[in-house]
């Protein structure tokens, strides 16, 4: 059923080119007929050509609004698809995330005592901390050692 819906939208949006051409030509034709009848050549043709251009512009605007509404509906139903080819902005964002992750790992490594640093590097060299997940800090807080409960 999805293909029928896509074809329906393509047919509806694909006719905008014909609508542009026909609006302009119809306006020009009406203007030239009025010029012949009233003897006001070329003024009515120019005026009605302008009317045809305005009608064509309105058709383009209406189709553009319809396409935006259809895209919004589709995005609400199916979600926002990932881009097939990442742009510079998304690549820069990923590079910045990677730099931040490395800075965070470097700062964690510099805060550890010397003996603990080596054992932590051997245990998990690729360890990436996840916010909200239980880590080293939350284990220390839940530890029931007597020196923390001395009051």
């Amino acid at each position: 059923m999805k293909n029928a819906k896509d074809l329906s939208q393509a047919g509806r949006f694909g006719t905008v080119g014909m609508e542009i051409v026909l609006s302009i030509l119809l306006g020009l034709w009406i203007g030239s007929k009025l010029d012949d009848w009233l003897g006001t050549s070329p003024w009515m043709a120019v005026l009605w050509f302008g009317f045809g251009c305005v009608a064509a512009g309105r058709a383009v605007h209406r189709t553009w609004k319809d396409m935006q509404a259809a895209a919004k509906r589709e995005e609400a139903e199916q979600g926002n698809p990932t881009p097939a080819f990442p742009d510079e902005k998304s690549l820069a964002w990923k590079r910045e995330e990677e730099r931040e992750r490395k800075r965070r790992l470097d700062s964690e490594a510099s805060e550890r005592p010397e003996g603990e640093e080596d054992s932590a590097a051997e245990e998990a060299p690729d360890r990436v901390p996840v916010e909200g997940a239980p880590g080293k800090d939350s284990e220390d807080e839940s530890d029931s050692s007597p020196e923390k409960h001395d009051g």
Side-chain angles (χ1 to χ4, degrees), residues 13-95:
F13 300 144
T15 60
V16 73
M18 279 194 324
E19 195 171 352
I20 291 169
V21 171
L22 289 176
S23 297
I24 293 172
L25 289 179
L26 184 65
L28 189 60
W29 183 77
I30 290 172
S32 66
K33 291 298 176 188
L34 285 174
D35 275 337
D36 291 343
W37 183 54
L38 299 172
T40 58
S41 185
W43 300 111
M44 287 302 225
V46 170
L47 178 69
W48 282 87
F49 175 77
F51 288 156
C53 288
V54 168
R58 289 189 62 188
V60 169
H61 186 262
R62 184 190 66 242
T63 304
W64 176 58
K65 289 290 189 182
D66 289 346
M67 288 174 112
Q68 282 185 330
K72 193 175 232 180
R73 264 193 316 273
E74 185 178 310
E75 187 175 312
E77 291 171 1
Q78 300 172 3
N80 195 5
T82 58
F85 302 101
D87 58 347
E88 275 301 312
K89 194 181 284 188
S90 64
L91 292 174
W93 179 66
K94 285 182 181 180
R95 284 191 298 262

Side-chain angles (χ1 to χ4, degrees), residues 90-149:
S90 64
L91 292 174
W93 179 66
K94 285 182 181 180
R95 284 191 298 262
E96 183 60 33
E97 275 187 341
E98 184 65 26
R99 279 188 220 117
E100 182 63 31
R101 185 179 70 82
K102 286 180 181 178
R103 273 187 245 139
R104 201 173 343 150
L105 289 173
D106 290 344
S107 67
E108 285 179 5
S110 66
E111 290 174 0
R112 291 189 194 124
E114 283 185 35
E116 190 176 320
E117 185 177 336
D118 295 335
S119 65
E122 290 172 6
E123 289 174 13
D126 297 307
R127 181 177 162 223
V128 178
V130 178
E131 292 181 19
K136 184 84 174 144
D137 296 331
S138 61
E139 289 173 6
D140 289 343
E141 292 172 5
S142 64
D143 197 17
S144 59
S145 59
E147 61 264 11
K148 285 190 177 183
H149 295 290

